[in-house]
Amino acid sequence: MAQRFPGTTRQKLIRDARLVVVKIGSAVLTREGRLHRATINHLGADLAELRRTGRQVIVVSSGAVASGLKSLGLTGMPKAIVEKQAAAAVGQQVLLGAWSDVFRKAGVAIGQVLLTADDLDHRTRYLNARHTLQRLLHHGVVPIVNENDSVSFEEIRMGDNDHLSALVTTLVSAQLLVLLTNVDGLHAGGPDGPVIGEVTAGAAARAHVTGERSAAGTGGMITKLEAAELVGRSGIGAIIANGGKRNVLRRIIAGEAVGTFFHPTPSRLDPRRRWLATATRARGSLVVDAGARRAIVRRGASLLPSGILAVQGRFEAGAVVRICAEDGTAFARGLVSYAAEEIDRVRGKKGAELPAILGYRYVDEIVHRNDLVIEPGAE
Ligand code: GLU
């Protein structure tokens, strides 16, 4: 079991949280293909209350697809992605209209931010999204974030808003992620067991996930657990709780034992490594020998051409790749300084040989130590 974050209790972490990301699932916000206004109203009141405590808040709101179904005459969640995209286009404005109504009553301005996986994949666009969110917060606006469903297609979809909310949380360095769903938290041994109050290690928690998926959304308990783990690696706490229960947010912020709290892990990643570890998709793999693996994992060394056995995939310099042991297990990720084709020509060679082989040499390192992040558990 991982250790708890030194000196941090659930209460202290929540009390000190200045910026909170609240993700609300489709199953909470919609009923039978329509938005459930009463739920939005009471959650909106709670969110406004959260701001009155002096905290900043970002809402990741699902429900665009689910609340657009009825208008398109659809009775259930369509299989075809294009139908989902159409439903999202209709539903997203209904969703925003509803959020806008409740926040207006509380005297709070909101701003819509729609993101695709691509926006967070490229470092500059990632930083750009961060600046926009920070500027909105600076102006006292509550950003309402969703995936840009009507233009995201399967390949570029982040897949679910649990993952998106975790990326947004690390992007803005919030201190707490609250995942509101239609169950009370993580239940021990499956849905009928008692709610686990606190979790210190994601791996142990996984044993309790039975794999059920939400009918209205795309996630389930496993994607929530992954989201909690993802933010935990950046030193951020997470809570899974029931968004259908009255005043759930107020009770969480008051420090009550509601839902399941996930303690962050002790090792924090710096912001650049957070992006490398979480937001980017790997474009290929480099298979390295045992010596290179040891040097990277134990000493935090750079990856040199001499330790590389094989190159998989086609990628340009600057791409993110998985770094794998000989048995194929990925133990790190990093930004490459050469393209796949160049690395293939210099693998197994010494840095001094690069000019003779390539006709040039930018740097000796294929992946510089500053551009490397070790996978959890590889240490
Ligand atoms: N972005 C989707 C929507 O608003 C929801 C994705 C999810 O359920 O996590 O409908």
Side-chain angles (χ1 to χ4, degrees), residues 15 28 38 91 127 129 132 134 160 192 202 207 214 233 265 279 294 309:
R15 194 186 57 223
V28 175
L127 294 175
T132 306
Q134 285 173 335
D160 67 80
D192 299 326
S214 156
R233 287 187 70 197
T265 48
R294 228 177 2 255
L309 300 171

Side-chain angles (χ1 to χ4, degrees), residues 234-256:
S234 299
I236 301 167
I239 294 181
I240 299 177
N242 193 332
K245 294 265 166 83
R246 285 264 157 190
N247 297 337
V248 66
L249 271 175
R250 286 177 212 229
R251 295 180 58 205
I252 288 171
I253 297 301
E256 288 184 37

Side-chain angles (χ1 to χ4, degrees), residues 139-321:
H139 285 295
V141 173
V142 173
I144 311 278
V145 180
N146 197 357
E147 185 168 356
N148 196 357
D149 292 308
S150 50
V151 296
S152 308
F153 55 90
E154 207 78 76
E155 265 175 66
I156 62 160
R157 276 178 65 92
M158 272 175 268
D160 67 80
N161 277 2
D162 296 326
H163 186 59
L164 173 65
S165 66
L167 293 184
V168 167
T169 304
T170 55
L171 177 74
V172 296
S173 301
Q175 292 83 35
L176 180 67
L177 168 63
V178 180
L179 297 153
L180 295 181
T181 181
N182 58 352
V183 294
D184 290 341
L186 178 64
H187 292 261
D192 299 326
V195 170
I196 301 171
E198 299 193 13
V199 168
T200 48
R206 275 169 193 249
H208 300 289
V209 178
T210 47
E212 77 283 12
R213 287 203 162 260
S214 156
T218 58
M221 196 41 82
I222 190 69
T223 54
K224 285 172 189 57
L225 223 61
E226 283 165 0
E229 275 173 27
L230 195 149
V231 301
R233 287 187 70 197
S234 299
I236 301 167
I239 294 181
I240 299 177
N242 193 332
K245 294 265 166 83
R246 285 264 157 190
N247 297 337
V248 66
L249 271 175
R250 286 177 212 229
R251 295 180 58 205
I252 288 171
I253 297 301
E256 288 184 37
V258 180
T260 304
F261 178 76
F262 293 79
H263 286 268
T265 48
S267 58
R268 282 166 187 259
L269 297 172
D270 61 52
R272 185 177 162 76
R273 285 196 171 85
R274 281 185 193 190
W275 168 76
L276 256 177
T278 58
T280 57
R281 285 168 296 176
R283 306 285 163 186
S285 305
L286 299 176
V287 182
V288 306
D289 63 23
R293 184 187 189 284
R294 228 177 2 255
I296 290 171
V297 172
R298 302 239 181 105
R299 291 194 285 109
S302 297
L303 175 61
L304 301 172
S306 55
I308 300 174
L309 300 171
V311 183
Q312 292 160 354
R314 294 171 64 164
F315 47 83
E316 296 302 317
V320 173
V321 300

Side-chain angles (χ1 to χ4, degrees), residues 120-138:
L120 303 181
D121 213 24
H122 296 105
R123 181 92 182 133
T124 43
R125 288 168 72 181
Y126 175 85
L127 294 175
N128 194 38
R130 175 155 83 200
H131 294 152
T132 306
L133 289 168
Q134 285 173 335
R135 189 47 42 168
L136 286 168
L137 294 171
H138 169 82

